[in-house]
Amino acid sequence: MSALEAPPPATTSPSSAAHAKGAVAGYPCEHCGGKTRFLPGTEALQCVFCQALMPIARGAVPVSESDFEQALRARASMPLETLTVGAREIECKTCGARSVVTEQALRCAFCDATVVVEVPPGDAIVMPGSVLPFAKTGSEAQAALTRWIDGLWFAPFRLRRRAKTLAIDGIYLPFWTFDTQTHTAYHGQRGDYYYVSVSYRDAQGRSQTRQERRTAWRPASGEVAVAFDDTLVCASRSVPQRFATKLEPWDLAALAPFDGRYLAGFIAERYAIDLAEGFAVAETMMEPGIRAAIRSDIGGDEQQIADMEVRYAARTYKHVLLPLWLSAFRFRDRVYRIMVNARTGEVTGERPYSALKILLAVVIGLGVVGGCIFIWGRSQGRW
């Protein structure tokens, strides 16, 4: 069972729960004063002592976009302590990941290192505007992770045996989403195919004619408008972008207005890619769509784009926290990470390979090929 899941029905007495009340730094239970954690798949906190549920009432203010230009000017930010009750920031001295926790952290969730230190309150952060609550429990994520490892070809036997005991952490990963209207002026060329008859002589010396394709090029220029909605940029440096992309799609329509209670019992990584840098990443993600629109506008059979000048208007953003279960483990002195989308159960990550299994597969393959050659040779009477 994950350390972030609610335990089985408690045997703790009301008096012992009340005794623990003084140590509760988060959202105490309304019934016994004990520690509570967000229960995945619900809209409620659950007490780890008496199992009571405390519903999280969504506010009347809906999830909305924020003005990008205004945010850059104002640098609107708030102290980290306002993120959630009992928030503490820790930093891994091995990989540098900075995370916000509500419980004691003995190891880094991103690299499995045991050297983590609490960071004193410092610079303010841009507060998340919305959060996608956990839907999959730690047990469901553990099962998905085990199935994923079992399905890996050439996975080491030791990894398969360890799969069911790998530590798994519930983490909210920071993302930016960007909306914008683009207007792009371009210059290029349009290529149209035409065919000409070409005479040649065949191998017998006879005169023949064939059609050859040629391309007629002419200058092209114009302007295209392309709108982008919810271009998603991972604001973490601890999880490679290629893995964050593989966890998509996210059901962003289910985003809830941010409430610190969703973070109770979980880890929230602090963004490492700020708002301005995040939009620069989004620009590279938008470029293929803009180029496709230009090619469509040029028309013809082929297109060449010489230059393009993109202008962005009506830029808005959201700072969102998206949930995943993460298992970081060391295997033969290297750190591997496996991630589970905590909404869909989609699994992606890194994996080690077994040199022994690969060698055996090569030997068996060579044996099969050799056997086929031998059987063919016997059938041909060659030996």
Side-chain angles (χ1 to χ4, degrees):
M1 181 181 69
S2 166
L4 297 180
E5 289 183 36
T11 57
T12 308
S13 66
S15 60
S16 61
H19 178 73
K21 181 177 180 180
V24 174
Y27 300 90
C29 175
E30 297 172 350
H31 301 275
C32 71
K35 181 189 297 183
T36 60
R37 294 170 177 156
F38 177 71
L39 182 62
T42 72
E43 289 282 330
L45 297 175
Q46 184 177 45
C47 178
V48 301
F49 291 99
C50 70
Q51 307 299 297
L53 295 178
M54 296 190 302
I56 300 175
R58 294 201 180 191
V61 179
V63 174
S64 60
E65 305 282 336
S66 298
D67 185 89
F68 180 81
E69 318 296 341
Q70 182 179 358
L72 288 183
R73 289 192 301 269
R75 298 289 181 182
S77 55
M78 298 181 69
L80 180 139
E81 300 81 46
T82 60
L83 191 65
T84 184
V85 175
R88 295 180 294 110
E89 187 171 16
I90 60 171
E91 181 177 16
C92 175
K93 288 304 181 182
T94 301
C95 72
R98 298 182 73 172
S99 306
V100 178
V101 298
T102 57
E103 299 181 350
Q104 185 178 12
L106 302 177
R107 41 176 284 280
C108 175
F110 294 96
C111 73
D112 202 35
T114 55
V115 185
V116 291
V117 297
E118 186 167 345
V119 180
D123 54 325
I125 62 171
V126 176
M127 290 292 290
S130 52
V131 59
L132 197 55
F134 274 74
K136 299 293 183 180
T137 65
S139 296
E140 291 172 322
Q142 187 79 58
L145 182 150
T146 301
R147 287 193 300 270
W148 187 79
I149 292 177
D150 286 343
L152 295 177
W153 284 55
F154 306 123
F157 290 112
R158 282 196 298 159
L159 178 60
R160 290 176 182 268
R161 288 195 298 268
R162 286 180 56 190
K164 293 183 180 180
T165 60
L166 290 175
I168 191 166
D169 296 285
I171 296 175
Y172 282 103
L173 210 61
F175 284 79
W176 304 107
T177 75
F178 296 100
D179 293 3
T180 186
Q181 176 70 48
T182 65
H183 299 272
T184 305
Y186 68 86
H187 293 88
Q189 293 190 84
R190 168 177 173 147
D192 294 293
Y193 295 152
Y194 66 97
Y195 295 84
V196 298
S197 297
V198 177
S199 298
Y200 70 98
R201 291 190 179 275
D202 61 19
Q204 287 73 38
R206 293 173 298 192
S207 179
Q208 302 286 352
T209 300
R210 65 168 176 259
Q211 296 292 305
E212 287 190 357
R213 191 181 76 185
R214 306 285 172 83
T215 305
W217 293 99
R218 57 188 173 90
S221 61
E223 182 170 312
V224 297
V226 183
F228 292 92
D229 180 54
D230 281 345
T231 299
L232 191 63
V233 175
C234 181
S236 168
R237 297 193 194 278
S238 304
V239 174
Q241 181 68 43
R242 67 183 187 278
F243 292 132
T245 300
K246 288 181 180 178
L247 290 171
E248 297 178 9
W250 297 93
D251 52 334
L252 298 182
L255 282 169
F258 180 77
D259 188 314
R261 287 174 290 185
Y262 288 113
L263 275 57
F266 291 90
I267 299 169
E269 187 188 12
R270 178 173 177 168
Y271 61 82
I273 297 175
D274 66 18
L275 185 60
E277 187 180 357
F279 190 80
V281 175
E283 288 179 327
T284 65
M285 299 170 68
M286 297 173 191
E287 184 176 336
I290 296 173
R291 287 185 173 274
I294 292 174
R295 291 192 178 94
S296 177
D297 194 60
I298 291 175
D301 299 305
E302 291 186 32
Q303 304 83 33
Q304 293 180 353
I305 303 173
D307 62 76
M308 47 189 276
E309 181 182 348
V310 185
R311 302 186 308 278
Y312 299 93
R315 290 191 286 182
T316 61
Y317 76 94
K318 295 193 297 289
H319 177 22
V320 304
L321 298 179
L322 303 183
L324 74 152
W325 291 98
L326 172 65
S327 179
F329 60 95
R330 295 181 179 272
F331 192 85
R332 293 175 181 166
D333 298 324
R334 180 181 166 185
V335 176
Y336 295 89
R337 286 161 294 187
I338 303 175
M339 288 147 277
V340 183
N341 183 318
R343 298 288 297 186
T344 65
E346 180 74 22
V347 184
T348 187
E350 304 161 303
R351 47 81 54 86
Y353 288 86
S354 169
L356 177 60
K357 285 187 177 182
I358 294 174
L359 178 61
L360 288 174
V362 171
V363 170
I364 292 172
L366 291 175
V368 170
V369 172
C372 292
I373 293 174
F374 178 77
I375 293 172
W376 177 82
R378 288 291 298 269
S379 68
Q380 299 295 314
R382 299 197 174 197
W383 48 70

